[in-house]
Amino acid sequence: MALSSKAPLLAPKALILVAPGSNREADLAHAIQTAGGDPHTIPLNMLSKNKDLLDRYRLVALPGGFSYGDLFGAGRAWAHELTSRFQDILDHFIDGQRAVIGVGNGFQALVRAGILPHARKSATLAQNASGQFESRWVQLSSNRTNPSPWLIGINLIECPVAHYEGRFVIRENSTIPEQQIAFYYVTRSGKIAAGDYPANPNGSTLDIAGLTNLSGNVLGMMPHPENHVIPWQHPAWTRDTHGGLCVRLFENGLKAF
C-alpha cells in the first residue's frame, strides 16, 4: 500500500522491507518520497506469499532499527531470513541491476547475509570501540574512486548515527576492494578521520561508513542519510547550517538504475 497519494504519476516505485523490530521505515519512506519516489512498506514475510513482488519495484530498501530484537547480534536474524527464505528472490533483483539500500540495521543484515561487501564472511559489524551506544551527527565523504551511480554528484554529507554494533571490521586474510568503499567518516574540515573519535564514532576499519557491491547497485551504510533530506532535520539549521543534505543519494537510487 502506498504511503502517500502525493507521489507524482509514474514516480519510481520503492519497496521498504520491514522485519520485526525495524523502526526507521517511516523515515526512509519520507526520504524516498522527498527524492521523488513512490514508497511502499510491507512486512518481510509477505515476499513468501508473492515471489514476483519485487519485479514491480525499481528500488528495495532495508531500514534501520533492531530487527528481531538484535537476537544473536545486530542484523544476524534478519540476515538468516534473507538467505534462508529469500536468497533466490534477492539474487534475481540484484543481478537485474536494480537498486538496493540497507541503512543501519539494514546494512548489518546485508553484511551478515554476505551480500556486502563481496564475499560471505569477509567482514562483520562489531561493537563500537567506545563500548557504548553512539547517537551523534557525523560527516561523510564519498569515495571518488567508487563508480557507483548511487554516488553521482555527492561529495560531503551529514547525517546521524544510532548504533551499538557499527564498527566495520575486515576479517583476517580478507580485503575490501577500494572501489567498493562508498563513504568514509571524516572530520568537520573534511579530512579522513584516521580512526579519531568521535569523527569516526565506532572505530570502523579504514574509517569505512558505507559500501557498495562490485556492480555498484547495492549500497549499505551505518549512518542514517534518511534523517537529513530536508534542512530543518539538522540540529543546527536555525543557525544557518544548510549543507550536507542527503536527498541526492536517494534521487540517484531512484533514477540511476
Side-chain angles (χ1 to χ4, degrees):
M1 180 174 64
L3 293 182
S4 171
S5 60
K6 295 181 180 179
L9 186 65
L10 300 180
K13 297 173 69 174
L15 184 64
I16 302 172
L17 295 176
V18 178
S22 298
N23 59 28
R24 298 277 188 132
E25 62 271 18
D27 297 22
L28 200 50
H30 172 256
I32 290 169
Q33 190 175 68
T34 301
D38 180 13
H40 298 226
T41 300
I42 67 165
L44 178 63
N45 60 15
M46 281 189 65
L47 283 184
S48 61
K49 301 176 182 179
N50 188 346
K51 296 285 187 178
D52 298 325
L53 185 62
L54 295 193
D55 291 337
R56 307 173 190 174
Y57 295 91
R58 184 174 298 183
L59 182 150
V60 166
L62 279 63
F66 298 92
S67 62
Y68 302 91
D70 277 352
L71 188 65
F72 308 121
R76 193 180 298 275
W78 194 359
H80 176 72
E81 284 284 284
L82 292 176
T83 55
S84 64
R85 299 179 60 193
F86 307 114
Q87 183 79 60
D88 56 338
I89 301 173
L90 285 173
D91 285 348
H92 176 72
F93 189 87
I94 293 170
D95 292 345
Q97 288 302 299
R98 281 177 287 177
V100 175
I101 183 171
V103 179
N105 193 242
F107 175 49
Q108 292 164 337
L110 291 176
V111 170
R112 296 190 185 280
I115 297 171
L116 290 175
H118 68 288
R120 193 178 300 276
K121 297 184 178 180
S122 62
T124 191
L125 279 305
Q127 292 181 2
N128 299 337
S130 65
Q132 63 187 13
F133 185 87
E134 293 291 339
S135 178
R136 63 177 69 249
W137 279 68
V138 295
Q139 185 155 294
L140 310 176
S141 174
S142 66
N143 176 18
R144 296 181 183 179
T145 67
N146 186 323
S148 171
W150 278 104
L151 306 179
I152 292 172
I154 295 175
N155 184 16
L156 295 174
I157 58 175
E158 288 186 83
C159 55
V161 296
H163 56 251
Y164 180 66
E165 293 183 63
R167 179 164 58 95
F168 183 78
V169 178
I170 303 172
R171 295 189 186 275
E172 189 175 358
N173 298 322
S174 296
T175 59
I176 304 296
E178 183 181 358
Q179 68 267 28
Q180 279 192 260
I181 300 172
F183 290 104
Y184 296 99
Y185 293 110
V186 296
T187 65
R188 298 300 302 176
S189 63
K191 296 181 179 179
I192 295 296
D196 288 346
Y197 177 87
N200 180 334
N202 47 46
S204 287
T205 302
L206 301 177
D207 301 293
I208 293 173
L211 297 168
T212 64
N213 63 346
L214 286 169
S215 297
N217 59 316
V218 180
L219 170 68
M221 53 193 301
M222 278 310 303
H224 289 269
E226 74 276 19
N227 290 127
H228 193 207
V229 294
I230 49 179
W232 49 91
Q233 288 176 308
H234 195 285
W237 77 275
T238 59
R239 298 192 293 276
D240 203 32
T241 297
H242 301 297
L245 285 175
C246 304
V247 66
R248 179 65 182 270
L249 186 73
F250 294 98
E251 292 172 345
N252 289 342
L254 290 165
K255 299 175 183 177
F257 297 96

